Amino acid sequence: MPECGRHRSSKCHVKDMRKFLQAAGEAVMEGHCGRTEQVLWLISVFSGIITCKFVYEVTHKISLVYINGYSKLSKLEKIVWNNPGFSTFHALVAAALSFYFIVVSDLFKNDLVNRKSLLSDLIFGISLGYFLSDLAMILWLFPSLGGKEYVSHHGLSMCSIFLCLISGKAHLYILMVLFTEATTPFVNLRWYLDLSGQKSSNTCIYNGVALFLGWLVARILLFIYFFTHMYLHFYQVKTIFPLRFYSLPMVPRMMAVMNVLWFWKIFKGMVKTLSQRHINEALPCDPT
């Protein structure tokens, strides 16, 4: 009897899994996956990859001319220096378009789940191209450009964006998550200041405070709003096909945990820097 019970349970699990995958497939087929959208996805993904390469080379050429000591860096150090260039460019574009859809546009005014546009598809495709490019460089030079947390962040981001594209659903929520890239320029500027020996400069301190405030708004408070909004509109959220429905709350939760951990590190770093600055200013001047 126990073996039969386990056997029946196994069959039930297989049957449930088949239903789950079938429902996901049907949802994809019912989404706005026409030929125009599929071509746009391919073009936008490749455009994201090509743009990353272009901005990388522009960063290299500008640094050769305007950054003292850049030419003396090793090949690895130059790659590490150039990489934040295209991540900053993507962050600015993604954050600006996400802000437009979330705050300015009325695209999602009457339907929070099923509405989409070619422009939202475009920015998702470009973001996929960026995350693929950056992840490839992270894995190639691991861990020089980032550790396991960066690999996890990029993997979760690509999973969410891909499911959003193929289903044509929940664009609003992915745009909210994508808006968190607004903090990336501050992270990258701190990286540049650190590498150039300006860790204790006023610019670095001001950037640290801006990073703290930006992170608080874009990666902490926004996620609180995200989950509250999803809860209040759950009657619409539950209409999403199973695979997308279960990933929608789970993936942002994992990213929210990482954001909180990073926020705590940023807070401790800011307090340490400001405390050291206060101590240095309080020290008496050298009479000699």
Side-chain angles (χ1 to χ4, degrees):
M1 285 296 293
E3 292 182 1
C4 292
R6 284 197 298 270
H7 185 62
R8 283 198 300 271
S9 177
S10 177
K11 283 186 174 181
C12 288
H13 285 308
V14 172
K15 186 176 181 181
D16 291 341
M17 181 59 68
R18 287 176 179 174
K19 289 182 178 179
F20 178 84
L21 294 176
Q22 182 180 2
E26 289 175 354
V28 171
M29 293 301 294
E30 292 173 359
H32 304 283
C33 297
R35 184 172 299 274
T36 302
E37 284 78 7
Q38 293 173 1
V39 172
L40 177 65
W41 299 345
L42 291 175
I43 293 175
S44 58
V45 171
F46 280 111
S47 296
I49 296 173
I50 294 171
T51 300
C52 287
K53 174 62 175 175
F54 174 77
V55 176
Y56 178 92
E57 294 298 333
V58 170
T59 304
H60 169 68
K61 294 185 182 300
I62 292 177
S63 299
L64 277 175
V65 177
Y66 295 102
I67 303 299
N68 294 328
Y70 176 81
S71 58
K72 298 179 181 180
L73 297 177
S74 66
K75 182 178 180 180
L76 175 59
E77 289 173 334
K78 287 180 180 178
I79 294 175
V80 173
W81 178 275
N82 297 336
N83 177 267
F86 66 76
S87 68
T88 298
F89 180 82
H90 165 263
L92 293 174
V93 174
L97 289 177
S98 297
F99 180 84
Y100 166 75
F101 278 114
I102 296 170
V103 178
V104 180
S105 174
D106 59 354
L107 177 64
F108 305 103
K109 183 177 181 180
N110 298 320
D111 191 337
L112 303 175
V113 172
N114 300 303
R115 297 297 301 276
K116 54 169 283 184
S117 73
L118 291 180
L119 183 57
S120 61
D121 276 356
L122 178 64
I123 186 56
F124 288 156
I126 291 175
S127 294
L128 268 180
Y130 156 71
F131 284 120
L132 283 170
S133 301
D134 200 37
L135 181 60
M137 293 191 69
I138 290 174
L139 295 176
W140 177 38
L141 300 172
F142 191 86
S144 299
L145 289 174
K148 296 178 181 178
E149 66 275 10
Y150 284 88
V151 176
S152 300
H153 173 272
H154 283 26
L156 292 171
S157 298
M158 288 190 294
C159 176
S160 298
I161 294 172
F162 176 75
L163 288 174
C164 191
L165 275 176
I166 64 173
S167 67
K169 296 178 182 291
H171 279 215
L172 173 63
Y173 291 113
I174 301 304
L175 287 166
M176 286 185 186
V177 177
L178 200 57
F179 180 74
T180 62
E181 289 293 306
T183 60
T184 299
F186 301 110
V187 175
N188 289 340
L189 180 56
R190 184 177 67 171
W191 173 266
Y192 281 131
L193 292 171
D194 190 14
L195 287 180
S196 59
Q198 302 181 56
K199 193 173 183 179
S200 58
S201 65
N202 287 333
T203 302
C204 189
I205 293 175
Y206 298 149
N207 179 71
V209 174
L211 173 60
F212 170 79
L213 295 175
W215 201 281
L216 176 63
V217 173
R219 292 185 181 257
I220 303 298
L221 298 180
L222 180 60
F223 268 83
I224 294 175
Y225 175 78
F226 175 95
F227 292 116
T228 303
H229 190 280
M230 187 183 299
Y231 174 78
L232 295 176
H233 299 87
F234 188 73
Y235 65 96
Q236 293 188 52
V237 175
K238 67 181 180 181
T239 63
I240 301 175
F241 75 94
L243 182 60
R244 189 72 189 93
F245 172 78
Y246 290 111
S247 66
L248 185 58
M250 291 305 299
V251 172
R253 283 178 185 174
M254 290 185 281
M255 296 183 71
V257 171
M258 289 190 290
N259 286 336
V260 171
L261 294 176
W262 282 330
F263 182 68
W264 177 242
K265 292 181 180 180
I266 292 170
F267 175 73
K268 289 196 300 182
M270 184 184 70
V271 171
K272 181 179 179 180
T273 300
L274 293 177
S275 299
Q276 186 63 42
R277 180 63 175 262
H278 179 71
I279 292 174
N280 292 338
E281 291 179 348
L283 290 175
C285 297
D286 189 349
T288 60

